[in-house]
Amino acid sequence: GILTSRGGMTSHAAVVARHMGKPAVCGCEALRINYADKKMVIGDVEYPEGTEITIDGATGRVIKGLVPMKDPELSAEFQTILQWADEIRTLQVLANADTPDDALQAREFGAQGIGLCRTEHMFMDSARLPIVQKMILAQTVEERNEALAELLPMQEQDFYGILKAMNGLPVTIRLLDPPLHEFLPNAEELLEEILVLKLTGDQEDRKTQELLHNKETLLKKIRALHEANPMLGHRGCRLGITYPEIYAMQARAIFQASARLVKEGYRVYPYVKIPLVIHYKELEILRKQTEQIAQEVMASEGVTIDYKVGTMIEMPRAALTADEIARYADFFSFGTNDLTQTVFGFSRDDAEGKFLPNYINSGILQNNPFAVLDREGVGKIMKMCVELGRQGNPGLKIGICGEHGGDPSSIEFCQQIGLNYVSCSPFRVPIARLAAAQAAISNR
């Protein structure tokens, strides 16, 4: 499980833990974590590394010692209720999954496809990180393409496994989204390593000089990539526009994996999702590149791949110009985590641990907007986006893939504004199926 002293139930650590099906209690301010001495302290009591505790993610309790547990089971009666729910609901329920195991888990829970596959999690693999860092540190396009050529077969195998696991169902793959600095070492830790090397290393030794030079070069690059507000900075499709070769590699990996599976007799439906679009020209450029690569792969492999290209709606400007963007999109996917942040001007990772509880306790906000969709603000923008989007493209498929996709109140709102699907963590799929049926009954 995961236990943190900062954050809250919708901070990034909690979201990732939920996606993994792991218990998490985030923002337990009573505890102090001491990395140097490898212990945590609660009040006057110290808990050294290795102390066994129990984390109850449902209630937020942290319990000393081991509590007897058993794996949850979906009873036969609950399965029957879910079958009834599936007969009634009109919203599709998809899952957010990044690995073949996640995909199979989602399918077992009744997901009708994958609504969000985050490719950056594949880049974080320890075996790949040095290659990713080489790509980021490249000084020329040629150097960057060399690193991308190493990553291509790895990405292709990732997509091969996920598409195979979801045989016959759509898989929506989001191209690289986070800022590049997230894949590089921490600047302060690297500076400390440089200082230690200067103080203790043999400055006449050639290997020491080379190591020092490499670390100092890396530090310069990290500082050059530093942004005051990286979540509103150089990320998402902005990376694809600046470095088109990155998105080109990912698109080629998707279609080469799809081609292999088609030849093997599988039915694959890859949906390529472009993140963080704010202007139709971004999507126009990146869609054209994606389609060109798809045509190249299909021609060289002699297969036909049933694919779609769409975008995430995470920025208010994208929602307000949805009629223009929709002309270049086969689907929209609301990224309600980022959309809530940008509409409110709240940082998800900071607000919960500081002022958001006061806002809820004092009645300014009724709910945590990162847990329950804010219908009056975020919801109003979503409704406008749906109407504008379908004016620009009547056949546009629209859904959500933020954490709200597993919240019953939010699912009901998605029903009311005419969305086609919700996508949530695999372990939330059964609740989403039930909530979608209740929404359909309530809004007949």
Side-chain angles (χ1 to χ4, degrees):
I2 295 173
L3 174 63
T4 73
S5 59
R6 298 180 186 176
M9 67 177 291
T10 57
S11 63
H12 198 65
V15 171
V16 172
R18 195 173 298 126
H19 170 76
M20 295 165 62
K22 300 295 183 185
V25 176
C26 294
C28 182
E29 295 182 357
L31 65 87
R32 301 192 307 280
I33 298 171
N34 185 327
Y35 284 107
D37 297 336
K38 295 188 176 183
K39 65 183 179 184
M40 73 174 183
V41 181
I42 302 174
D44 297 325
V45 183
E46 294 184 352
Y47 299 87
E49 183 180 50
T51 303
E52 291 178 326
I53 59 172
T54 299
I55 300 169
D56 185 349
T59 64
R61 291 182 300 171
V62 182
I63 305 160
K64 186 177 181 180
L66 295 180
V67 172
M69 293 178 287
K70 65 175 184 177
D71 290 330
E73 296 177 2
L74 299 182
S75 66
E77 292 83 1
F78 187 56
Q79 293 284 14
T80 300
I81 290 175
L82 288 178
Q83 288 173 11
W84 294 343
D86 292 340
E87 293 168 8
I88 295 165
R89 63 183 169 88
T90 57
L91 279 169
Q92 284 187 301
V93 177
L94 311 182
N96 302 338
D98 307 330
T99 67
D101 287 344
D102 288 345
L104 289 171
Q105 180 73 75
R107 192 161 193 159
E108 189 178 316
F109 282 139
Q112 296 168 281
I114 292 176
L116 175 64
C117 173
R118 307 172 182 89
T119 55
E120 62 269 16
H121 289 177
M122 302 166 181
F123 278 33
M124 292 290 190
D125 182 271
S126 58
R128 302 177 193 189
L129 205 50
I131 306 171
V132 175
Q133 290 174 352
K134 187 163 69 172
M135 179 266 291
I136 295 169
L137 298 171
Q139 298 298 311
T140 65
V141 174
E142 290 74 22
E143 287 180 9
R144 191 172 301 110
N145 280 331
E146 283 179 18
L148 289 169
E150 291 184 63
L151 288 171
L152 175 60
M154 300 176 184
Q155 281 270 271
E156 182 181 329
Q157 197 58 35
D158 292 329
F159 300 140
Y160 177 88
I162 292 169
L163 288 161
K164 184 177 181 179
M166 299 306 285
N167 178 35
L169 297 175
V171 176
T172 309
I173 300 168
R174 182 178 73 186
L175 302 186
L176 190 64
D177 181 46
L180 294 179
H181 77 85
E182 287 197 6
F183 302 100
L184 296 175
N186 179 276
E188 291 181 7
E189 292 176 4
L190 187 59
L191 178 60
E192 189 176 319
E193 290 176 18
I194 291 170
L195 293 173
V196 169
L197 198 58
K198 284 183 174 180
L199 289 170
T200 61
D202 180 1
Q203 300 305 307
E204 302 299 322
D205 180 61
R206 188 174 58 83
K207 286 186 177 180
T208 302
Q209 291 176 346
E210 187 178 329
L211 181 61
L212 192 58
H213 172 74
N214 291 341
K215 286 183 180 292
E216 287 177 335
T217 303
L218 180 57
L219 182 61
K220 285 178 184 176
K221 185 69 175 179
I222 293 170
R223 285 174 170 168
L225 288 172
H226 173 76
E227 294 178 292
N229 194 338
M231 288 300 102
L232 296 177
H234 195 183
R235 56 171 283 224
C237 70
R238 300 160 196 175
L239 289 171
I241 295 293
T242 311
Y243 307 113
E245 53 274 11
I246 296 177
Y247 276 15
M249 179 278 288
Q250 292 193 294
R252 191 168 296 280
I254 291 168
F255 293 117
Q256 287 182 179
S258 299
R260 284 169 56 193
L261 287 163
V262 169
K263 286 182 173 181
E264 293 171 14
Y266 291 91
R267 291 177 297 122
V268 295
Y269 304 99
Y271 289 14
V272 181
K273 180 153 59 176
I274 312 292
L276 218 75
V277 162
I278 57 161
H279 198 288
Y280 77 88
K281 287 186 178 179
E282 294 169 318
L283 189 57
E284 181 185 16
I285 292 167
L286 294 171
R287 182 186 182 109
K288 184 178 180 181
Q289 174 180 270
T290 303
E291 290 186 326
Q292 184 177 337
I293 292 168
Q295 295 303 318
E296 287 174 9
V297 172
M298 287 191 288
S300 65
E301 298 295 329
V303 299
T304 300
I305 300 169
D306 188 354
Y307 71 92
K308 297 187 185 301
V309 181
T311 186
M312 289 186 82
I313 303 294
E314 307 163 87
M315 300 290 118
R317 191 186 192 281
L320 298 173
T321 59
D323 50 338
E324 297 177 344
I325 293 173
R327 296 200 300 267
Y328 300 92
D330 299 319
F331 64 90
F332 279 175
S333 179
F334 284 109
T336 51
N337 296 345
D338 269 342
L339 186 60
T340 300
Q341 289 192 104
T342 50
V343 170
F344 273 87
F346 285 176
S347 164
R348 181 178 67 192
D349 291 312
D350 294 327
E352 281 196 305
K354 294 183 173 70
F355 59 86
L356 196 51
N358 293 333
Y359 270 57
I360 295 170
N361 293 335
S362 61
I364 297 173
L365 294 174
Q366 187 175 354
N367 296 297
N368 178 340
F370 296 108
V372 179
L373 190 68
D374 166 56
R375 300 188 185 194
E376 291 76 20
V378 178
K380 190 176 288 186
I381 285 182
M382 290 173 65
K383 189 171 186 294
M384 291 172 63
C385 178
V386 171
E387 293 167 357
L388 287 169
R390 289 191 173 136
Q391 286 175 25
N393 179 358
L396 190 69
K397 185 177 180 181
I398 308 177
I400 71 169
C401 63
E403 277 299 293
H404 299 97
D407 170 62
S409 169
S410 307
I411 290 170
E412 181 180 38
F413 182 74
C414 293
Q415 176 83 28
Q416 290 172 357
I417 64 173
L419 298 196
N420 302 103
Y421 70 89
V422 297
S423 187
C424 58
S425 302
F427 292 89
R428 283 189 162 190
V429 166
I431 295 300
R433 289 164 63 190
L434 188 59
Q438 292 168 338
I441 292 169
S442 300
N443 295 280
R444 275 175 173 167

